[in-house]
């Protein structure tokens, strides 16, 4: 629950508006999938439209908040309604 609360805080503090879709990014929920290396699965809308700078913002903020200095964090975004099981990772 700490992960979800913190992610919601990040998105609220710096919302992402995607002009091509005329929508804001919404994160439904997130969960840790693996701990070595830390891999976080995030269910959200607009999965393919999230720019690299916003992914770095989320990654760096999570790294600072959870004390993972120097550790690679993998964020995996998935659309909740998608039937495709492939993951888009950074």
């Amino acid at each position: 629950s700490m992960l979800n609360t913190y992610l919601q805080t990040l998105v609220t503090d710096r919302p992402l508006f995607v002009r091509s879709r005329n929508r804001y990014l919404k994160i439904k929920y997130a969960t840790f999938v693996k701990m070595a290396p830390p891999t976080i699965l995030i269910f959200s809308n607009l999965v393919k439209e999230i720019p690299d700078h916003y992914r770095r913002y989320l990654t760096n903020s999570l790294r600072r908040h959870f004390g993972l200095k120097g550790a690679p964090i993998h964020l995996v975004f998935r659309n909740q309604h998608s039937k495709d099981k492939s993951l888009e990772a950074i």
Side-chain angles (χ1 to χ4, degrees):
S1 68
M2 288 175 30
L3 174 63
N4 286 304
T5 303
Y6 188 64
L7 274 173
Q8 291 303 326
T9 303
L10 291 175
V11 173
T12 302
D13 289 348
R14 192 179 287 178
L16 175 67
F17 184 74
V18 179
R19 290 184 187 183
S20 63
R21 296 286 202 130
N22 204 26
R23 295 173 143 185
Y24 282 95
L25 172 70
K26 294 179 190 172
I27 293 181
K28 312 280 191 243
Y29 64 94
T31 185
F32 276 100
V33 178
K34 263 188 346 183
M35 292 306 288
T39 304
I40 301 171
L41 177 61
I42 300 173
F43 288 90
S44 68
N45 66 342
L46 310 173
V47 171
K48 294 181 181 176
E49 289 86 2
I50 301 172
D52 288 338
H53 70 86
Y54 202 79
R55 292 170 189 254
R56 282 191 308 271
Y57 160 68
L58 294 175
T59 302
N60 292 332
S61 298
L62 289 167
R63 187 176 287 126
R64 276 192 302 272
H65 183 73
F66 289 106
L68 299 170
K69 184 178 180 182
I73 295 178
H74 297 278
L75 296 182
V76 179
F77 290 88
R78 185 181 290 169
N79 186 336
Q80 193 169 11
H81 302 294
S82 176
K83 300 285 184 193
D84 183 17
K85 296 296 181 191
S86 64
L87 301 177
E88 182 181 331
I90 64 168

